[in-house]
Amino acid sequence: MESIRKKAKELLDSKQVQVIIGYENGTSNKVRAAFITDPTQVDRLIYDERCTQNLAVYLVKHEVKHLGKMGIVATIPVMRTINMLISEEQVKPENVVVLGIGEDGKLLDFPDLTVMESFLQKAKIEITAKDKEAMEKLKKMTTQEKFDYWSNALETCFKCYACRSSCPLCYCTRCAVECNQPQWIPVQANKNGNYEWHMLRAMHLAGRCVSCGDCGRACPLDIPVHLLTMHMAEESKRLFGVDSGFSMKMESVLSNYKLDDKDNFIQ
Amino acid sequence: MEIEKKLIKKASLEKLFEKLQAKGNKIFAPVSKDGKTEFQYNPSYAEVTYDHIQTTQSLKNTVFPKIENLIRFKTDRSGVEVTEVDLTQVQSLVLWGVHPCDAAGFNALKSIFMWDYKDEYFNSRLQKIAVIGLSCHKSDDNCFCTSVGLNPGGTQGCDILLTKLSSGDFLAEIITEKGKAIVTEASELFETAPSETKEGNLAQVNQQFSHEKVTKNLAGAFEHPFWVENSLRCIGCGACAFVCPACACFDIQDETKGKNGKRLRCWDSCGFGLFTIHTSGHNPREVQSQRWRQRILHKFSYMPERNESLGCIGCGRCSRACPVDMNILEQLVSLEKL
Amino acid sequence: MEVEKITEEAPEVKTFRLKFKNPEDAEKFEFKAGQFGEYSVMGEGESTFCIASAPTRKGYIECTFRKAGRVTGALANLEEGETIGFRGPYGNVFPIDEWKGKNLLYIAGGIALPPMRCVIWNTLDLRENYKDITIIYGARSVEDLVYKNELKEWEERPDVKLVTTVDPGGQTPDWKGEIGFVPTVLEKVAPSSKDTIAIVCGPPIMIKYTFPVLEKLGFTDETIYTTLENRMKCGFGKCGRCNVGKYFVCKDGPVFTLKQLKELPDEY
């Protein structure tokens, strides 16, 4: 924690960045995102196991970008997201300084982003045991069981789009659900509308999702929507050998065609 | 009418529930499952909880459904045929175990839907609900009913209010004619009021700000840097609006299947980026801080002035649901000191 | 309502003359200049625009729209004889009774002539109530000018002074009107502010530059009227979209004086 504060102060003092995006204590024993622009305020920054929000979502937020060059406290999923955002030209590498956090919770020194890239190549990447268990359970289901499970789980969805808003890779200003000529996805939060929305979201994140799980965490109704995108991440690795967010030059799995692409995904 | 007080024993309460159900009433009551509590249609009495602090979702769905069918239409070569929805078909519904804040929430919605033009879809549903309230004996640090003029044992919006007494039995306050009718039909279950008062059996919710002061401060706060400073972490989802018992923004959408279609009213949120965008691309509320400001101003400034009601009942649902800890109580406390 | 007649005004701009299908509805329907309605194509949704015909012209209403989104796109595909949905009238009105005995100066830009056409015809039909009537209307190009026939009619009327203008580069070889932006032309025409009401409708940028010119000409904030157009869904103060501060454009507007506008927060 001290090392994060020290580094943040250094970056702000030397004007290498204008804002540090990190975590601070919130209300009711929660933690939340902090935007530190004043070096005397760095003591607000904290880091512990509660800090799971994917802060990269703020790298693409207009009012945060407006503050200037950004330093960001980044755990492994956040680092992977940063790589994705750079690959997709949403973030300029020169506008971001990463205060990396390793698996042990210690600050990592990244003089530049290529060091972060090489760190990620060697890092241990795993989803939580709870998510792993849930994924295994789903995999064992028959197609009908899976369909029933999701129809049931998604029926309560009221389309607050917290899953979309919390996801740093859902950065479109006009989402496909808001394109209405034609209206691809029903706006109303009914059975079909919900099902189609979540399938669309999963497909748009296929090969891009870094499995941070923030969409599921954000859902106020506790629908495990992150399992859908995590599954797509597993599938793109299985079918195309691509694990997202390990380099700043990722090719998008679903929008690049290669002659040796397998076509056994049609099941 | 004057509030009448009675006692209903724990065992009799179950009988009342079953009696209402047996008469064919649809009942909507809180049920706890996997650490979450939500209202459910027609649960068994054993499933109903009396110990929860707050459900995730509010009760607004009962009067302002997330999808309301406004009209039906049929289009073909010969033209368009429009059929009105028959609102006399709206089913009556007993809301059971409603906390006083939620009961008051119906008045906040009423102040919007029945302001000026009277919304018959809302009104028909409102007429058909009976509210059996349940005083709060527990609260958490997101609750702030006492700061918005309500309290854990408030009767506003209830037809009957139950308060759990130390014996485990319930004090029943009969508030409206609708409530009286329910009691009259099950008079054998009610006994003479006990001497124990409800006041000693309520949650302690301390007042944390004066809403009059907040409203007063907001009048001059439109351009204040507060909004940008305190909404940087807001990610612009609609979780707060959709769990809110008093948020009533909506969208109107058509749904068609072949020749037949429906015009639907669907929940919407002022926090969404495209909520106010013009076809030209111009957006009066372009950035999230403006949209957060709208949310607070609407509830604490515009509604008190235009609708003669606050747009907030202090239930704390938005703070609990927010994925990024935009805690409304914290912000209101700051706004009081602005 | 039935689409009785379609007029092509300009590229992508059409005027519909609409007639109630049910004579009882026609009988009951009343509106005043400035009010708007919700027009719909079943299956596509509703769209908000003003009633562009004058209340003094009975038996029909007209609306003019540019094909821009989903609903206007669907409207544009309709043919004469087809049916559309209509809800209204909503909103407040131009206080034309209060304007009696005064000069009227109408200033419009582009597709904003339709909201003004209603009040222009309304006052022209009650011509004896007003003194001089001046209309300044500009569009991007000659092609984009709407209501070309009516512009001709107004030009020929001795009791109306009409000045039309197109943006530089938008003129055709035989264009006889002015060339230049509306505020510049207004400054050149320099109508007197004495006993005059100015009514301004146009794109935000035009409005922004027109107000200072009017102020220079001596118009006070109470004598300048405009209409606001915000995104709407319901039209009667419930859906939460169109408010500017505590005012609903659908209830308290769309007609505002500059004085009222200055009291509103900058959110439109």
Side-chain angles (χ1 to χ4, degrees), chain B residues 73 75 80 82 112-113 115-117 222 248-254 256 263 268 275-279 282 284-285 294 302 305-306, chain C residues 40-46 68-70 83 229-231 233-234 236-241 243 245-248 251-252 265 267-268:
Chain B
F73 52 83
T75 44
V80 180
V82 175
I112 296 172
F113 285 109
W115 170 76
D116 192 70
Y117 178 86
F222 196 84
C249 287
F250 59 81
D251 187 8
I252 298 173
Q253 288 284 339
D254 285 5
T256 47
R263 180 151 293 160
D268 208 340
F275 186 66
T276 53
I277 197 165
H278 293 191
T279 313
H282 169 68
R285 295 183 209 130
Q294 161 69 17
Y302 309 152
E305 188 163 341
R306 298 302 300 269
Chain C
S40 66
V41 177
M42 297 299 158
E44 300 296 337
E46 297 185 311
R70 180 179 176 188
T83 305
E229 305 219 340
N230 262 3
R231 188 170 177 81
K233 286 283 175 177
C234 69
F236 39 77
K238 314 245 183 275
C239 76
R241 260 176 196 70
N243 72 296
K246 66 181 178 193
Y247 297 103
F248 293 97
K251 293 288 330 166
D252 308 305
E267 201 183 23
Y268 49 86

Side-chain angles (χ1 to χ4, degrees), chain C residues 43-57:
Chain C
E44 300 296 337
E46 297 185 311
S47 196
T48 317
F49 16 90
C50 64
I51 300 170
S53 54
T56 38
R57 310 286 168 104

Side-chain angles (χ1 to χ4, degrees), chain A residues 27 32 58 61 63 160 188, chain B residues 232-234 238 255 289 325:
Chain A
T27 62
R32 65 188 183 198
Y58 299 114
K61 186 177 170 180
E63 285 164 298
C160 70
Q188 55 275 26
Chain B
L232 277 174
R233 68 179 177 280
C234 175
E255 180 184 67
S289 55
D325 196 30

Side-chain angles (χ1 to χ4, degrees), chain A residues 20-32:
Chain A
I20 296 283
I21 308 169
Y23 301 96
E24 68 178 347
N25 276 313
T27 62
S28 309
N29 196 35
K30 286 187 272 190
V31 293
R32 65 188 183 198

Side-chain angles (χ1 to χ4, degrees), chain A residues 133-153 224 227 231:
Chain A
E133 196 194 315
M135 300 268 280
E136 287 308 317
K137 212 169 134 191
L138 274 166
K139 268 181 216 157
K140 286 193 192 111
M141 290 182 187
T142 62
T143 308
Q144 185 60 43
E145 280 168 346
K146 272 187 239 177
F147 184 79
D148 293 344
Y149 172 83
W150 284 113
S151 302
N152 194 25
L227 300 179
H231 178 69

Side-chain angles (χ1 to χ4, degrees), chain C residues 137-199:
Chain C
Y137 173 49
R140 216 174 302 156
S141 69
V142 176
E143 200 186 18
D144 287 314
L145 292 165
V146 297
Y147 306 135
K148 293 189 179 70
N149 291 334
E150 285 158 70
L151 291 176
K152 217 170 135 199
E153 191 181 334
W154 293 339
E155 192 164 20
E156 284 162 4
R157 273 178 81 138
D159 58 352
V160 177
K161 180 178 176 184
L162 175 76
V163 182
T164 46
T165 178
V166 295
D167 291 354
Q171 70 274 29
T172 49
D174 57 350
W175 174 244
K176 292 190 189 68
E178 299 280 337
I179 298 169
F181 298 108
V182 170
T184 325
V185 173
L186 171 67
E187 211 164 355
K188 197 173 140 196
V189 178
S192 158
S193 59
K194 194 170 173 281
D195 266 346
T196 308
I197 298 290
I199 304 100

